[in-house]
Amino acid sequence: MTTLEIEDRPSTNHDSRGNPPRIDMLVLHYTGMTSAGAALQRLCDTVARVSAHYVIAEDGRIWRLVSESRRAFHAGRSCWEGESDLNAVSIGIEIVNPGHEWGYRPFPEAQMASVERLCREVVARHPIPPHRVVGHSDIAPDRKSDPGELFDWPRLARSGIGIWPPAGPSSPVGEIDSGRALQNLRTIGYCVRPASQTAALVAFQRRFRPHRCDGYLDPETAARLEEVRAAFYRSRAGHTSALRTLCRARK
Ligand SMILES: [Zn+2]
């Protein structure tokens, strides 16, 4: 396979990750702007103070704006697994798409092929386990919807990027335990309070049950929460044992 072609288009919007640096998360976005040019301009605008490590155009071109060793400004006010400075610990990739505001549309094959290849390289360079690959809407459900319900998460999961458990047989319609659903959302990583449960459920549905994102805790959503929670446990267990092996190898 040829090496991935990446064009440098430096943004000045970055700072230090902290000491020692830790990179164990990947956050995927859509640009939500009318064109790739407009998005690049904004992500390099010193006044806007926003950026990402990479931008991927609809034709598959990739730009690097910020070095992975630096903290880019893409996550904003956000939270995952109880942690809030997610820019410090993540790589941020912006995928060009007008988004829900300007005409949300499917991500073309050329673009998805680049997304997949770049993500594979990123998770190979850093200890980023599948359960730490998230969408912007997962970490900021009350204000973000990207990359949205058209994004092909199953494709990435087949390459080992992120989680997508196969959907089991539909569960019988019964009493839905909303307390357990809330607990499952938290276990998966969503920072959710009872008041923001609907927003978190919409984010969960965009990601894991994308054919209906209404924030309603129906039996299918409740069953999907169980499947995803189990997959997150498997990913965490795998990550812990991989870290133990790494520690032993370094001794
Ligand atoms: Zn975003």
Side-chain angles (χ1 to χ4, degrees):
M1 194 180 269
T2 52
T3 52
L4 202 52
E5 266 185 48
I6 300 179
E7 196 179 316
D8 280 306
R9 197 180 192 296
S11 168
T12 53
N13 298 332
H14 55 82
D15 58 17
S16 167
R17 283 192 181 271
N19 195 15
R22 181 185 114 222
I23 301 172
D24 66 0
M25 193 168 186
L26 174 59
V27 183
L28 302 185
H29 304 256
Y30 65 44
T31 51
M33 297 191 74
T34 50
S35 69
L40 284 168
Q41 205 166 27
R42 179 165 167 78
L43 294 165
C44 294
D45 180 347
T46 47
V47 178
R49 294 277 293 168
V50 291
S51 62
H53 295 93
Y54 300 97
V55 174
I56 303 180
E58 289 183 298
D59 65 5
R61 285 174 70 187
I62 306 175
W63 293 276
R64 176 173 28 234
L65 277 60
V66 174
S67 159
E68 291 183 7
S69 64
R70 302 285 292 171
R71 178 178 173 274
F73 307 153
H74 57 96
R77 182 170 49 78
S78 52
C79 176
W80 191 249
E81 294 188 288
E83 189 174 24
S84 58
D85 184 4
L86 301 180
N87 283 333
V89 298
S90 66
I91 302 291
I93 299 178
E94 287 279 0
I95 302 161
V96 172
N97 188 298
H100 293 84
E101 197 177 347
W102 302 103
Y104 189 43
R105 58 192 183 214
F107 298 85
E109 167 56 31
Q111 186 178 38
M112 282 309 298
S114 289
V115 169
E116 186 178 346
R117 287 192 62 193
L118 178 60
C119 288
R120 271 162 63 166
E121 290 193 0
V122 168
V123 303
R125 272 196 285 275
H126 306 286
I128 301 174
H131 69 276
R132 300 272 293 169
V133 178
V134 298
H136 200 186
S137 57
D138 293 318
I139 60 173
D142 50 347
R143 48 183 204 93
K144 293 291 174 183
S145 345
D146 58 316
E149 60 278 9
L150 296 178
F151 189 72
D152 194 352
W153 290 102
R155 173 188 181 141
L156 293 193
R158 285 193 293 275
S159 277
I161 305 145
I163 280 195
W164 181 271
S170 55
S171 61
V173 180
E175 191 99 343
I176 291 176
D177 185 341
S178 59
R180 181 170 171 91
L182 187 62
Q183 192 50 49
N184 282 345
L185 280 170
R186 288 198 185 107
T187 301
I188 292 165
Y190 291 90
C191 300
V192 54
R193 302 173 310 282
S196 63
Q197 190 178 349
T198 303
L201 275 173
V202 172
F204 174 83
Q205 290 168 333
R206 280 191 206 287
R207 174 82 189 272
F208 295 106
R209 206 283 304 263
H211 61 267
R212 197 163 73 244
C213 313
D214 55 6
Y216 179 61
L217 182 61
D218 55 24
E220 192 184 25
T221 302
R224 196 70 181 128
L225 275 162
E226 297 289 336
E227 288 160 358
V228 175
R229 186 189 67 148
F232 271 67
Y233 275 134
R234 286 194 295 275
S235 171
R236 277 189 193 142
H239 186 53
T240 307
S241 74
L243 287 178
R244 274 202 206 105
T245 308
L246 193 66
C247 289
R248 273 201 297 271
R250 282 182 178 167
K251 270 179 193 165

